[in-house]
């Protein structure tokens, strides 16, 4: 019998092979929940860290985490603890918000208040020693976004009979892009579904939820008391997800709102609720949705006694006149401080005459060239000078070798000869033809006809202008130097110098600039952590000089939220937003198109301009983009109030239905940088008329001699990768001789790239649309309009 070998206790076990390309699941399985700790910092980098130091650092980190958990948990504990804000959103048209809230009250054996299905109420869950503030939401898009900005959890109601409509999907996308909180997906009306179909229905709805919240693996129901208690247990036992942009600001969901008139149009608005986020500060401004920023008069306590009665109000914080933020959001530009360097008429005429003398446009000084006897002036124009031979080409190596064989030290070789000299051959110096010597082959009418035919052929070739948005045609009715006077040529788009304070618009005199934005952000956020008003306390904020329309728009059936601003967040500056086009949007996204910007807790009507999101250049120049394309990251630039932190942004396009806007782009706030240069590029194109090796006659780029010499210093490129420059003008119809670094082909296109700096328009204003209509009301109004038509 064969015996199988068995390893003993001392058998060596080799280390298994670790693949560099392991899957995420395999790596997660190997890690077994381990956390990579940060290394312990030492003053001396060469000194090794002892085991005691590493153990002490791990202990301090563990203690800090426990303190954070305890601080967050204490916020919701006790009689004076803050309730967890839980909005109830119906994703389907037949979902019943009132029925869901009634089931939660019934599971605790309490009677639901009559107004609980339409107004915000606080449910005291004694069994779990916490309170839950239930916020019923109508099918209003703006209300849904506002409620989830301050929410800790969210109940999403889905139906077993009707699918989630477009309104529900829009709400989910908006909630996801602005910062998703812990959600509780609930199925309603599942008892009416046959037992055989319930499992497949659950799987289908779970797959739908996981498209937006992949970590969710369970769906809840509210069919009986046990299921309802499971929902409350999940809400009270879990900690809310942190949202940095929200937690850096103080915020509040109003319970009651009162108004004391001080004049016919303004007064003091009293907002009562639980303080959340960072501490409120009376020296800072507060933001009211749809009405702007206001100053705080004072902050008082609004604690609740055992008899559910308010205690006597105590003043907690009052503003200090020397430290309170003002309401000045922009500077007043001084028009007398503009640059007074525009040249006079005499200086312009003198400069034009100087250019004409330099370019030999007046015919006073003729250029001579030494060529073989019998060579015409037209043939001499094709002979390359030393100053034109800036480029080298491998094809001319043989000719250079041949020229070296005929080189004679006693004879002076022509500087522009492209062929060997013959000793018996006679040479002479002739005058080159200027603009009057070159004979135009076609008259003006024939040139115009050929140019129109050329444009028609190009339109057929480029059916979609989006493929080449920067390429434009030079106008014939005006000179190019006047049409493109603000444009300049750049030898290198990434490294050529460009002064960021050159030719700034008057709007730059209205904005504020930070010397060091990153350092200011850290200081402002650290200062906001400390304050007399602790989070979780019930307070009343007295806001002064508020228009009476703000109180008249208050509706108990809709969420009324209040956000506190950080220092300088009321000042206007130049904002850069990193955005990416939404995959579901099929329309064209152009720069300066009207959009509705949702940026954190603010909403504005804007017309952003887009540029490339690149950091490769040393001159801080970024290319302006006329269109947004899928799969690319862009930077949207607008004038707006200062923002600190990675605040989420969304760009919507309005439709006829105010509750169904179209999501165009989403992203985050990038920075405040007034030195960022956005350069708009245009490409002037020309067509090769005659080609002789590296020289070519180009037409249809310009139509007069002055334009040719005006743009002569700008470098030329071709679509096939050649680089060259303008040598001289030929004739009077815009023909020009150009030299390139290689031989051209007839199907090539010559291009000249010009750039100018562009700025956004000062058109940022508060968005107040879609605040007074639900989906049902919008549908009724739309049907009435159709009947009237």
């Amino acid at each position: 019998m064969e015996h199988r070998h068995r390893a003993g206790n001392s058998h060596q076990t080799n280390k298994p092979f670790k693949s560099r390309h392991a899957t995420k699941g395999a790596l997660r399985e190997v890690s077994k929940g381990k956390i990579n700790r940060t290394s312990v910092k030492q003053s001396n980098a060469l000194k090794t860290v002892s085991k005691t130091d590493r153990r002490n650092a791990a202990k301090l980190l563990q203690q800090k985490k426990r303190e954070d958990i305890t601080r967050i948990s204490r916020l919701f504990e006790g009689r004076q603890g803050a309730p967890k804000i839980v909005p109830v959103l119906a994703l389907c048209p037949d979902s019943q918000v009132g029925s869901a809230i009634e089931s939660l009250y019934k599971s605790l054996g309490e009677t639901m208040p009559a107004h609980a299905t339409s107004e915000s109420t606080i449910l005291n869950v004694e069994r779990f020693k916490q309170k839950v503030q239930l916020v019923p939401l109508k099918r209003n898009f703006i209300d849904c976004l506002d409620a989830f900005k301050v929410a800790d959890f969210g109940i999403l109601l889905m139906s077993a009979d009707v699918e989630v409509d477009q309104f529900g999907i829009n709400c989910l996308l908006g909630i996801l892009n602005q910062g998703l909180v812990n959600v509780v997906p609930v199925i309603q009306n599942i008892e009416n579904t046959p037992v055989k179909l319930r499992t497949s229905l659950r799987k289908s709805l779970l797959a739908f939820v996981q498209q937006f919240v992949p970590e969710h693996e369970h769906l809840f129901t509210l069919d009986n008391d046990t299921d309802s208690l499971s929902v409350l247990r999940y809400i009270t036992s879990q900690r809310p997800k942190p949202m940095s942009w929200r937690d850096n600001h103080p915020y509040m969901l109003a319970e009651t709102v009162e108004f004391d008139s001080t004049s016919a149009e303004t007064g003091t608005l009293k907002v009562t609720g639980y303080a959340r986020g960072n501490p409120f500060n009376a020296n800072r401004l507060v933001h009211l949705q749809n009405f702007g920023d206001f100053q705080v008069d004072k902050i008082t306590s609004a604690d609740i006694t055992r008899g559910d009665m308010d205690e006597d109000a105590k003043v907690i914080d009052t503003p200090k006149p020397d430290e309170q933020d003002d309401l000045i959001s922009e500077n007043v530009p001084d028009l007398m401080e503009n640059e007074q360097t525009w040249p006079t008429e005499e200086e312009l005429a003198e400069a034009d005459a100087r250019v004409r003398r330099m370019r030999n446009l007046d015919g006073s000084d003729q250029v001579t060239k030494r060529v073989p006897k019998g060579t015409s002036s037209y043939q001499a124009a094709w002979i390359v000078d030393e100053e034109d031979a800036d480029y080298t080409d491998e094809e001319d190596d043989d000719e250079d070798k041949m020229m070296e064989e005929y080189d004679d030290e006693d004879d002076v070789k022509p500087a522009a000869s492209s062929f060997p000299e013959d000793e018996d051959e006679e040479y002479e110096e002739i005058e080159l033809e200027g603009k009057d010597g070159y004979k135009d082959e076609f008259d003006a009418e024939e040139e115009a006809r050929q140019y129109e035919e050329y444009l028609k052929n190009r339109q057929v070739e480029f059916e979609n202008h989006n493929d080449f948005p920067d390429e434009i045609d030079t106008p014939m009715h005006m000179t190019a130097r006047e049409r493109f006077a603000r444009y300049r040529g750049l030898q290198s788009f990434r490294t050529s110098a460009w002064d960021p304070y050159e030719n700034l618009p008057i709007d730059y005199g209205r904005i504020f600039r930070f010397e060091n934005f990153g350092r200011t952000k850290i200081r402002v956020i650290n200062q906001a952590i400390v304050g007399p008003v602790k989070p979780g306390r019930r307070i009343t904020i007295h806001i002064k000089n508020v228009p009476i329309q703000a109180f008249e728009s208050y509706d108990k059936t809709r969420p009324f939220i209040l956000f506190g601003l950080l220092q300088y967040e009321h000042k206007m500056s130049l904002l850069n937003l990193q955005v990416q086009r939404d995959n579901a949007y099929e329309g064209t996204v152009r720069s300066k198109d009207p959009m509705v910007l949702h940026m954190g807790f603010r909403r504005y009507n804007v017309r952003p301009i887009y540029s490339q999101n690149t950091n490769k250049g040393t001159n801080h120049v970024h290319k302006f983009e006329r269109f947004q394309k899928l799969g690319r990251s862009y930077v949207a630039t607008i004038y707006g109030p200062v923002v600190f932190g990675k605040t989420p942004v969304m760009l919507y396009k309005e439709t006829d239905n105010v509750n169904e806007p179209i999501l165009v782009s989403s992203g985050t706030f990038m920075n405040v940088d007034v030195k960022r240069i956005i350069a708009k590029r245009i490409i002037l194109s020309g067509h090769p008329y005659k080609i002789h090796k590296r020289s070519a006659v180009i037409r249809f780029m310009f139509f007069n001699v002055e334009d040719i010499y005006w743009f002569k210093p700008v470098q030329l490129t071709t679509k096939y990768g050649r680089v060259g420059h303008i040598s001289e003008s030929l004739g009077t119809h815009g023909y020009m001789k150009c030299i390139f670094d290689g031989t051209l082909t007839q199907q090539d296109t010559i291009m000249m790239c010009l750039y100018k700096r562009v700025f956004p328009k000062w058109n940022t204003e508060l968005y107040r649309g879609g605040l007074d209509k639900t989906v049902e009301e919008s549908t009724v109004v739309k049907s009435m309009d159709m009947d009237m038509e």
Side-chain angles (χ1 to χ4, degrees):
M1 295 178 62
E2 296 182 359
H3 296 278
R4 184 178 179 182
H5 175 71
R6 295 182 179 179
N9 296 330
S10 61
H11 177 72
Q12 177 182 354
T13 302
N14 294 327
K15 187 177 181 180
F17 177 71
K18 292 184 178 180
S19 175
R20 293 178 55 191
H21 306 287
T23 61
K24 293 182 180 180
L27 295 176
R28 193 183 303 110
E29 185 69 20
V30 173
S31 64
K32 296 295 183 181
K34 295 180 181 179
I35 300 175
N36 294 326
R37 297 193 179 118
T38 57
S39 60
V40 181
K41 295 183 179 179
Q42 293 284 346
S43 59
N44 187 4
L46 300 178
K47 183 180 178 180
T48 58
V49 182
S50 63
K51 184 177 181 180
T52 306
D53 294 336
R54 296 195 302 269
R55 184 177 298 173
N56 186 35
K59 182 179 180 180
L60 293 176
L61 182 62
Q62 185 181 23
Q63 183 179 357
K64 183 178 181 300
K65 289 184 178 180
R66 287 178 178 176
E67 291 177 354
D68 293 340
I69 295 174
T70 303
R71 177 175 54 84
I72 296 174
S73 301
R74 286 178 180 175
L75 183 68
F76 306 106
E77 293 179 354
R79 180 176 295 274
Q80 299 295 337
K84 290 184 177 179
I85 303 174
V86 183
V88 184
L89 173 61
L91 297 180
C92 302
D94 64 337
S95 298
Q96 300 174 1
V97 176
S99 175
I101 296 177
E102 185 180 2
S103 299
L104 295 177
Y105 272 94
K106 184 179 178 181
S107 64
L108 298 176
E110 297 185 7
T111 304
M112 183 186 69
H115 61 279
T117 58
S118 59
E119 300 179 10
S120 173
T121 56
I122 296 180
L123 175 61
N124 191 6
V125 188
E126 291 288 349
R127 182 172 181 175
F128 304 117
K129 299 180 181 181
Q130 285 189 12
K131 293 181 290 185
V132 176
Q133 187 173 1
L134 299 175
V135 184
L137 295 177
K138 298 180 181 180
R139 293 176 66 80
N140 185 299
F141 181 72
I142 297 296
D143 289 351
C144 295
L145 292 186
D146 285 348
F148 275 86
K149 286 174 184 176
V150 297
D152 299 311
F153 291 84
I155 297 178
L156 306 179
L157 301 180
M158 295 177 291
S159 173
D161 302 328
V162 182
E163 295 181 352
V164 179
D165 60 354
Q166 187 62 39
F167 173 80
I169 295 177
N170 288 344
C171 290
L172 286 176
L173 290 175
I175 295 169
L176 182 65
N177 289 325
Q178 74 178 9
L180 184 65
V181 299
N182 291 328
V183 295
V184 183
V186 174
I187 309 176
Q188 288 184 322
N189 305 328
I190 196 172
E191 294 181 347
N192 301 331
T193 306
V195 179
K196 296 182 179 179
L197 300 178
R198 292 181 182 179
T199 303
S200 60
L201 178 62
R202 284 179 174 271
K203 290 182 179 180
S204 176
L205 292 177
L206 180 60
F208 173 78
V209 173
Q210 288 179 345
Q211 293 180 2
F212 303 92
V213 193
E215 62 270 14
H216 261 284
E217 299 179 354
H218 180 67
L219 298 179
F220 296 88
T221 60
L222 298 175
D223 296 335
N224 49 55
D225 294 345
T226 303
D227 296 338
S228 300
L229 281 176
S230 299
V231 172
L232 291 176
R233 183 182 294 106
Y234 178 81
I235 294 175
T236 54
S237 61
Q238 297 289 330
R239 295 196 311 271
K241 282 186 178 180
M243 295 172 60
S244 60
W245 72 268
R246 181 185 68 178
D247 298 336
N248 288 335
H249 296 80
Y251 63 93
M252 173 193 296
L253 176 63
E255 293 183 14
T256 60
V257 178
E258 300 176 356
F259 187 79
D260 292 340
S261 300
T262 57
S263 65
E265 297 180 354
T266 61
T268 301
L269 191 69
K270 301 178 182 179
V271 183
T272 303
Y274 287 89
R276 301 292 304 276
N278 275 337
F280 274 97
N281 191 339
N283 294 323
R284 302 291 169 255
L285 304 178
V286 293
H287 180 81
L288 295 178
Q289 293 286 353
N290 318 309
F291 292 97
D293 306 332
F294 300 92
Q295 289 181 328
V296 176
D297 186 24
K298 60 181 178 180
I299 300 177
T300 59
S301 63
D303 298 330
I304 299 178
T305 60
R306 291 188 177 182
D308 294 336
M309 299 294 292
D310 293 346
E311 292 183 351
D312 294 336
K314 300 178 181 179
V315 178
I316 303 176
D317 191 16
T318 56
K320 299 178 181 179
D322 298 338
E323 300 180 4
Q324 188 177 20
D325 293 342
D326 53 35
L327 294 175
I328 300 175
S329 61
E330 59 185 70
N331 293 317
V332 179
D334 188 359
L335 301 179
M336 300 304 296
E337 292 183 356
N338 292 341
E339 296 183 2
Q340 306 294 330
T341 57
W342 189 258
T344 61
E345 296 292 339
E346 293 77 8
E347 292 174 342
L348 290 174
E350 182 182 353
D352 187 63
R354 189 186 307 114
V355 171
R356 294 179 65 86
R357 288 194 302 270
M358 292 175 60
R359 303 306 181 190
N360 192 28
L361 293 179
D362 51 4
S364 58
D365 298 328
Q366 295 290 338
V367 180
T368 60
K369 183 176 292 187
R370 189 169 182 267
V371 295
K373 190 175 182 179
T375 304
S376 64
S377 59
Y378 174 75
Q379 294 173 341
W382 286 95
I383 299 177
V384 181
D385 295 334
E386 287 183 352
E387 61 180 5
D388 294 337
D390 295 335
Y391 305 102
T392 59
D393 190 22
E394 297 178 355
E395 298 178 358
D396 297 337
D397 292 342
D398 297 336
E399 295 181 2
D400 295 339
K401 293 179 181 179
M402 185 171 59
M403 291 174 63
E404 293 177 359
E405 296 178 358
Y406 289 93
D407 190 8
D408 191 356
E409 297 180 357
D410 298 333
D411 296 334
V412 179
K413 186 173 62 176
S417 178
S418 60
F419 48 84
E421 291 188 14
D422 191 354
E423 296 180 358
D424 298 334
E425 189 173 2
E426 297 181 2
Y427 289 85
E428 63 178 352
E429 292 185 359
I430 64 172
E431 295 180 352
L432 294 182
E433 297 173 346
K435 70 168 189 174
D436 296 330
Y438 181 82
K439 303 296 183 181
D440 294 324
E441 299 186 15
F442 308 105
D443 55 7
E445 296 181 357
E446 181 63 20
E447 287 285 350
R449 188 193 64 79
Q450 292 187 10
Y451 183 60
E452 292 179 0
E453 184 178 356
Y454 169 72
L455 294 180
K456 291 180 181 179
N457 294 334
R458 286 186 56 195
Q459 291 178 359
V460 174
E461 182 180 358
F462 308 133
E463 295 180 357
N464 189 4
H465 185 66
N466 295 340
D467 297 336
F468 303 95
D470 299 333
E471 192 169 342
I472 64 174
D473 300 321
T474 306
M476 296 185 66
H477 62 279
M478 64 183 302
T479 59
R481 64 183 182 277
E482 294 177 359
R483 170 63 180 83
F484 309 116
R486 296 189 178 184
Y487 288 84
R488 68 180 68 186
L490 295 179
Q491 185 176 4
S492 174
F493 185 79
R494 297 185 297 108
T495 60
S496 295
W498 196 321
D499 186 7
Y501 298 107
E502 174 188 356
N503 296 330
L504 296 178
I506 194 65
D507 291 337
Y508 261 59
R510 304 169 62 180
I511 63 176
F512 291 84
R513 180 177 67 90
F514 293 92
E515 183 178 354
N516 190 326
F517 180 75
R519 183 175 58 191
T520 304
K521 180 185 69 173
I522 295 175
R523 178 181 62 83
V524 169
I525 293 178
N526 291 337
Q527 288 179 353
I529 299 176
V530 182
V533 183
K534 300 302 180 183
R537 186 172 184 179
R538 193 170 185 266
I539 61 173
T540 299
I541 300 179
H542 300 252
I543 309 171
K544 59 182 179 180
N545 298 328
V546 179
I548 193 172
Q549 291 82 4
F551 178 70
E552 292 176 351
S553 64
Y554 170 67
D555 187 359
K556 293 183 178 180
T557 62
R558 302 172 62 187
F560 189 92
I561 65 174
L562 176 71
F563 269 86
L565 300 182
L566 302 180
Q567 191 177 12
Y568 308 126
E569 281 196 332
H570 181 62
K571 307 300 182 182
M572 296 291 290
S573 188
L574 192 72
L575 308 186
N576 297 313
L577 317 174
Q578 182 179 351
V579 297
Q580 190 170 4
R581 179 175 169 176
D582 188 69
N583 296 331
Y585 185 72
E586 299 178 353
T588 303
V589 185
R590 296 183 177 88
S591 287
K592 302 180 183 179
D593 279 354
M595 297 286 178
V596 179
L597 172 65
H598 293 246
M599 182 171 57
F601 51 86
R602 291 165 163 168
R603 290 187 293 269
Y604 294 98
N605 287 319
V606 296
R607 290 178 177 266
I609 61 174
Y610 305 111
S611 58
Q612 291 183 351
N613 185 16
T614 55
N615 296 319
K616 299 179 180 179
T618 59
N619 53 4
H620 211 14
V621 178
H622 306 268
K623 182 179 176 296
F624 169 80
E625 291 291 340
R626 292 177 173 86
F627 303 94
Q628 270 197 33
K629 297 182 179 179
L630 287 174
R632 297 184 183 180
S633 178
Y634 295 89
V635 176
T637 304
I638 60 169
Y639 291 113
V642 175
V643 179
F644 293 110
K646 294 292 184 181
T647 305
V649 298
M650 294 177 290
L651 291 172
Y652 283 92
K653 188 174 182 180
E654 289 187 290
T655 59
D656 296 336
N657 190 345
V658 294
N659 285 291
E660 291 186 1
I662 304 176
L663 179 62
V664 177
S665 303
S666 61
T668 57
F669 168 78
M670 191 168 68
N671 57 19
V672 174
D673 190 1
V674 299
K675 293 184 179 180
R676 192 175 191 274
I677 300 175
I678 303 175
K680 179 180 180 180
R681 184 183 71 176
I682 62 170
I683 300 176
L684 305 182
S685 59
H687 180 70
Y689 180 59
K690 293 182 181 180
I691 299 176
H692 179 71
K693 295 185 178 179
R694 295 191 297 113
S695 302
V697 176
I698 309 301
R699 64 174 181 172
F700 297 153
M701 182 178 288
F702 303 108
F703 299 99
N704 58 74
V705 181
E706 288 78 6
D707 287 344
I708 294 175
Y709 286 110
W710 181 274
F711 293 98
K712 184 178 180 180
V714 184
Q715 184 177 343
L716 299 177
T717 57
T718 70
K719 289 187 177 180
Y720 285 87
R722 296 301 183 187
V723 181
H725 66 276
I726 299 174
S727 175
E728 60 180 341
S729 174
L730 301 176
T732 60
H733 293 166
Y735 287 59
M736 57 185 180
K737 176 185 173 183
C738 303
I739 309 297
F740 295 90
D741 62 346
T743 305
L744 295 183
T745 57
Q746 197 66 33
Q747 65 269 23
D748 206 345
T749 303
I750 289 76
M751 302 180 297
M752 176 183 290
C753 297
L754 302 175
Y755 303 89
K756 79 167 181 179
R757 188 176 181 181
V758 294
F759 304 90
K761 299 296 183 182
W762 193 279
N763 47 26
T764 302
E765 57 184 12
L766 281 173
Y767 173 74
R768 294 185 172 91
L771 301 178
D772 53 353
K773 295 180 181 179
T774 61
V775 172
E776 293 80 3
E777 294 172 350
S778 300
T779 306
V780 172
V781 172
K782 187 174 182 181
S783 62
M784 291 176 61
D785 294 340
M786 295 179 62
D787 294 340
M788 292 177 63
E789 293 180 359

